[in-house]
Amino acid sequence: MNRSKSLAAATESTSKSISTMARKRSSKWKLIFFVLLFVLAFVSFLPVFASLPSVSSHSHDLHFHLPRHQRERQHRRPKIDVRKFEIAEDMFWKDGKPFQIIGGDLHYFRVLPEYWEDRLLRAKALGLNTIQTYIPWNLHEPEAGKLVFEGIADLVSFLKLCQKLDLLVMLRAGPYICGEWDLGGFPAWLLSIHPDVRLRSSDPAYLQKVEGWWGVLLPKVAPLLYGNGGPIIMVQIENEFGSYGDDKAYLIHLVKLARGHFGEDIILYTTDGGSRETLEKGTIQGHGVFAAVDFTTGDNPWPIFKLQKEFNSPGKSPPLSSEFYTGWLTHWSEEMARTNADFTAAALEKIMLRNGSVVLYMAHGGTNFGFYNGANTGVDESDYKPDLTSYDYDAPITESGDVENAKFKAIRRVLGKYSSVSLPLVPPNNKKTGYGSIQLKRTAFLFDLLDEIDSAHIVEAENPTAMEYLNQMFGFVLYVSEYAAKTGRSKLVIPKVHDRAQVFISCSPEVNGGQVSYVGTIERWSNQAIGLPNAKCVSNTSLFILVENMGRVNYGAYIFDRKGILSSVYVDGRVLKRWKMISIPFHNLNEVPKFNPVIQNASELRKVSTRKKLEHQSGHAFPKAEGDLEGPSFYTGHFSIDITTEVTDTYISLRGWGKGIAFINEFNIGRYWPTSGPQCNLYVPAPILRHGENVLVIFELESPNPKLLVESVDKPDFTCGPRQASVHQL
């Protein structure tokens, strides 16, 4: 074989082999390049795929069993450059991340502004990330056209403080709020309009007033919506309307009003009981309004949340209990409502365990200062049950802000498991001081002061007139008429009185110096005729009926609750005519004390009128009769706080007194009624007090403590009154 040919052949063979190998190697690198390109493209699209809604409802339900960090990996919406709070995939989303509302009701109008930050910090230490609050129309517009947004009514400052403390807000704008607040938050002057307006309805006269109120309110809070940089994530429309009516036109009108001021981005919501009937009547389907639910603590929440979904659009029903009851309200004559801490915490965990959202009602109850407490009714409007001055509610944060209690600890323990951040340290309880005994003196008898009232403030009419028509919304009205007495006793009947009437009679001043005698009390809830003794007057017998407004009904069918004498008055079957109505209003919460001869004279030690209209032979204000009642009188006392001593909270114990109202340094701290119970002591926050002299004025309707003493103590007391009353235990 020729070597050159062999070499050439070998070389040719080798070249072919190398060429083939090169082509194979090139194809391999091309394959690797395309694989890498595909992988990079797939990875870049992963966030898009992750943001798409789940196609499996079953797999979505499993989301509610996952820990927060796993949920946030599974569900992450596209990064957004603007603040946004929204509902999608049956979850709340805050700035593109899933968000669990852990909220609580805390009402700015039940806490002095000086204590707002203190109470909010305690709520945050409990584990809350959201505050829910009502807005009571009557606090902000106590008189038609007179708007108040200062002091305890400074809503904007409260909302800004929530934001400063990194707390979101769910705003319950009404116009009806319920809330155990007088008339459910409606201003009582609505009851003076003729013809009657139909509250909570599409009555044009009512809607006109709502539009006027919301036309002021909503622009004030609009800059504080979450999308505008504020803390408000949701705004509630009405409140539990499904338990009252089914006027959908009314609800839709409210939605349009709210959207007109807020735009389309804010979440509007309703709250209704967790039954099909209430949800059918109270929700606003088809208008982009989220339906939340409330239900009895201890009920299985998840079947109710499943029902809730039927009243929300698909994917728009995150489970939310917007009123999870941590305690309950208490009326006069009942024992204080208490709920077990461990039971409450266990019920709460059933919601939290599956990533449901919740709002504690209440996180902190506070106080019904002034005359703003509400009332409930039972089978009819005469089955009347007024609320206490205290709104402690057996909440985890007590009326005075205390947190060193079993319920706070139990709830915090549960919420701490589900919070996305570490909980703040728990603040200590605020200090309280018992300032000791306060000696009071009788400074005025109510009837002595009547001569000092300007006749221009006395209304005369043929028939008794309701309080609201006298342009008086709170306090007392004295109704005066006369009748011809017969031999023996006469019979007095008042078919309809709201709420409690004390009856007195007298002769003309020429007979026994015009001595006034107490003859009995007629109460709305146990209305009975009373006998009028023959006073043996030379002429007609004068009749005085002092009627107390004890708080308007705030819930149910009988909410249209005017006060005073609302019917004819009968003596021995004959209708009494020609009445005089004398207003005794006092000042209410957040009102600047105005000139009022009754209060001005009562708050100063003064010599009793020389006419001594109320005195009798023994020197007491009234003859001892029916419970040793000594009559409506003013008592004044003073106590001093040394300049070197810290001014702290205290309580005023009214044990041994009858029924009335109390003022400290001209602040109306509320009603007392220890003979009915259960509340014995009135809470006095430190900001009401001052170094040096403090003045206590009491208007006692019945009989004072025999020693005319009041004790300043350092603890609440809810053990007064009859013990046979029922306990409300959830």
Side-chain angles (χ1 to χ4, degrees):
M1 174 178 197
N2 189 309
R3 286 187 60 92
S4 62
K5 285 186 176 179
S6 295
L7 180 60
T11 302
E12 184 180 357
S13 176
T14 301
S15 297
K16 287 181 179 178
S17 177
I18 291 172
S19 175
T20 301
M21 289 175 63
R23 283 198 303 270
K24 287 182 179 179
R25 196 174 286 117
S26 174
S27 298
K28 182 177 179 181
W29 282 111
K30 285 180 181 179
L31 179 61
I32 292 172
F33 172 79
F34 283 118
V35 168
L36 287 172
L37 187 63
F38 176 80
V39 169
L40 288 171
F42 179 79
V43 170
S44 68
F45 278 99
L46 274 178
V48 177
F49 296 145
S51 68
L52 294 175
S54 170
V55 296
S56 169
S57 60
H58 176 71
S59 64
H60 175 71
D61 287 341
L62 290 177
H63 157 84
F64 291 109
H65 297 274
L66 294 175
R68 178 181 295 274
H69 67 279
Q70 290 185 29
R71 281 191 292 124
E72 293 194 356
R73 281 204 300 266
Q74 284 196 358
H75 296 274
R76 191 172 296 275
R77 297 171 69 74
K79 184 178 179 181
I80 55 178
D81 296 326
V82 295
R83 290 165 58 91
K84 191 173 183 64
F85 193 89
E86 59 186 324
I87 296 174
E89 304 175 50
D90 287 337
M91 290 183 290
F92 293 110
W93 295 80
K94 178 174 173 285
D95 301 334
K97 296 180 181 180
F99 186 80
Q100 185 177 28
I101 293 174
I102 306 176
D105 265 81
L106 192 159
H107 302 155
Y108 62 97
F109 47 90
R110 286 185 161 120
V111 180
L112 293 190
E114 295 89 339
Y115 274 162
W116 284 346
E117 184 163 357
D118 175 86
R119 303 302 193 262
L120 290 171
L121 287 172
R122 292 168 192 274
K124 196 166 182 178
L126 181 63
L128 305 189
N129 57 30
T130 304
I131 296 297
Q132 183 171 253
T133 186
Y134 289 123
I135 302 176
W137 182 359
N138 52 10
L139 179 71
H140 295 283
E141 195 175 5
E143 300 173 21
K146 178 187 175 182
L147 295 161
V148 181
F149 287 94
E150 297 85 32
I152 203 167
D154 191 351
L155 170 64
V156 170
S157 291
F158 177 79
L159 297 175
K160 288 181 177 179
L161 182 58
C162 290
Q163 183 169 24
K164 170 190 166 186
L165 300 177
D166 198 26
L167 288 162
L168 300 174
V169 174
M170 295 168 63
L171 202 60
R172 313 179 87 173
Y176 165 79
I177 65 169
C178 185
E180 290 73 63
W181 193 254
D182 188 85
L183 200 59
F186 286 126
W189 52 261
L190 289 174
L191 306 184
S192 68
I193 297 173
H194 185 79
D196 294 350
V197 298
R198 287 182 291 114
L199 302 177
R200 306 185 74 186
S201 78
S202 50
D203 174 11
Y206 164 68
L207 290 180
Q208 182 186 32
K209 300 301 181 185
V210 172
E211 289 169 6
W213 161 232
W214 272 17
V216 173
L217 172 67
L218 301 193
K220 278 186 175 293
V221 299
L224 296 169
L225 300 180
Y226 189 78
N228 294 334
I232 302 170
I233 55 172
M234 298 168 64
V235 177
Q236 183 174 300
I237 299 295
E238 248 272 352
N239 187 54
E240 295 182 324
F241 190 74
S243 300
Y244 178 80
D246 58 0
D247 188 342
K248 295 290 187 179
Y250 163 53
L251 297 178
I252 291 169
H253 187 80
L254 294 181
V255 171
K256 290 179 179 177
L257 283 178
R259 292 286 183 216
H261 289 283
F262 292 154
E264 298 296 323
D265 290 339
I266 186 68
I267 298 172
L268 301 180
Y269 71 110
T270 56
T271 294
D272 284 287
S275 71
R276 184 171 296 279
E277 179 184 3
T278 54
L279 287 167
E280 284 176 347
K281 291 161 65 176
T283 55
I284 316 170
Q285 294 175 275
H287 292 270
V289 179
F290 169 60
V293 291
D294 58 33
F295 42 85
T296 302
T297 302
D299 286 354
N300 184 351
W302 290 97
I304 299 172
F305 290 144
K306 183 178 180 181
L307 176 65
Q308 175 194 3
K309 278 192 173 187
E310 296 182 29
F311 296 89
N312 285 308
S313 300
K316 298 287 188 178
S317 193
L320 170 64
S321 171
S322 52
E323 287 191 11
F324 174 88
Y325 302 109
T326 60
W328 200 248
L329 61 101
T330 305
H331 305 115
W332 292 107
S333 296
E334 298 175 349
E335 288 192 4
M336 197 65 180
R338 299 293 184 196
T339 58
N340 180 271
D342 292 334
F343 170 83
T344 304
L348 175 62
E349 186 146 29
K350 289 180 182 177
I351 298 173
M352 305 298 295
L353 186 63
R354 294 172 60 181
N355 298 308
S357 288
V358 68
V359 181
L360 308 180
Y361 193 99
M362 299 289 296
H364 169 57
T367 308
N368 294 319
F369 293 117
F371 296 123
Y372 276 119
N373 67 274
N376 292 100
T377 53
V379 294
D380 55 42
E381 66 175 335
S382 65
D383 187 12
Y384 173 78
K385 304 169 184 178
D387 299 320
L388 302 183
T389 297
S390 171
Y391 198 61
D392 180 84
Y393 214 83
D394 197 29
I397 305 170
T398 71
E399 179 181 15
S400 63
D402 284 357
V403 293
E404 294 172 10
N405 61 74
K407 187 170 288 183
F408 185 95
K409 293 173 183 175
I411 290 176
R412 175 180 159 90
R413 208 161 35 240
V414 171
L415 297 183
K417 296 180 186 178
Y418 302 95
S419 175
S420 60
V421 297
S422 298
L423 301 189
L425 295 175
V426 178
N429 290 347
N430 289 326
K431 184 180 177 183
K432 298 166 195 67
T433 302
Y435 293 106
S437 298
I438 305 170
Q439 182 68 57
L440 285 85
K441 294 184 179 180
R442 193 193 319 264
T443 52
F445 303 115
L446 176 65
F447 290 95
D448 278 327
L449 300 175
L450 300 183
D451 290 342
E452 301 174 29
I453 294 178
D454 190 334
S455 60
H457 297 131
I458 299 175
V459 176
E460 298 189 28
E462 278 294 291
N463 297 301
T465 302
M467 178 181 284
E468 292 79 7
Y469 289 133
L470 301 174
N471 197 32
Q472 180 190 335
M473 306 308 154
F474 301 96
F476 303 78
V477 173
L478 183 65
Y479 293 83
V480 183
S481 187
E482 58 182 30
Y483 64 97
K486 67 178 184 180
T487 304
R489 296 174 70 85
S490 294
K491 181 180 179 182
L492 173 69
V493 175
I494 310 176
K496 192 171 184 179
V497 59
H498 290 187
D499 298 304
R500 191 171 185 268
Q502 292 173 278
V503 181
F504 308 87
I505 60 173
S506 76
C507 298
S508 63
E510 293 75 24
V511 181
N512 295 330
Q515 171 189 328
V516 177
S517 299
Y518 167 73
V519 295
T521 298
I522 297 176
E523 296 168 323
R524 173 175 177 172
W525 52 93
S526 59
N527 193 320
Q528 296 180 346
I530 60 175
L532 301 175
N534 186 344
K536 298 180 181 180
C537 300
V538 174
S539 56
N540 287 343
T541 302
S542 295
L543 178 67
F544 302 89
I545 305 173
L546 181 64
V547 179
E548 179 187 4
N549 167 1
M550 292 180 60
R552 292 181 181 85
V553 174
N554 60 264
Y555 178 83
Y558 305 109
I559 190 174
F560 199 94
D561 186 20
R562 287 194 179 108
K563 297 302 184 181
I565 295 178
L566 307 178
S567 66
S568 294
V569 177
Y570 301 86
V571 174
D572 296 328
R574 298 179 61 183
V575 177
L576 287 190
K577 297 288 187 179
R578 300 178 61 188
W579 288 86
K580 293 181 179 179
M581 277 70 66
I582 304 171
S583 292
I584 308 172
F586 301 100
H587 61 269
N588 202 0
L589 178 65
N590 207 41
E591 287 184 343
V592 176
K594 50 195 174 187
F595 175 76
N596 182 319
V598 173
I599 300 212
Q600 185 185 41
N601 290 311
S603 62
E604 300 172 359
L605 292 175
R606 58 190 292 272
K607 186 177 179 180
V608 177
S609 168
T610 55
R611 293 179 60 191
K612 298 186 178 181
K613 294 191 331 187
L614 303 183
E615 292 193 2
H616 61 83
Q617 294 84 343
S618 66
H620 292 287
F622 287 88
K624 298 291 183 180
E626 300 197 53
D628 292 337
L629 183 139
E630 295 190 7
S633 303
F634 294 87
Y635 300 83
T636 302
H638 303 77
F639 63 101
S640 184
I641 302 177
D642 189 89
I643 192 69
T644 62
T645 304
E646 180 185 3
V647 177
T648 73
D649 293 354
T650 190
Y651 294 87
I652 297 297
S653 172
L654 280 304
R655 275 190 181 273
W657 292 75
K659 186 180 194 303
I661 54 176
F663 300 82
I664 291 184
N665 297 332
E666 297 189 313
F667 184 91
N668 188 338
I669 61 173
R671 310 175 198 268
Y672 66 88
W673 196 8
T675 54
S676 179
Q679 185 171 0
C680 312
N681 301 352
L682 294 179
Y683 172 55
V684 184
I688 293 173
L689 304 174
R690 60 199 178 207
H691 284 114
E693 185 179 76
N694 294 267
V695 181
L696 168 65
V697 176
I698 287 177
F699 180 47
E700 169 61 54
L701 292 166
E702 297 179 344
S703 298
N705 177 295
K707 296 181 180 179
L708 299 186
L709 283 177
V710 164
E711 297 291 333
S712 168
V713 298
D714 61 359
K715 291 182 177 62
D717 185 354
F718 295 101
T719 62
C720 283
R723 295 278 64 83
Q724 66 270 22
S726 60
V727 179
H728 188 107
Q729 180 71 43
L730 294 179

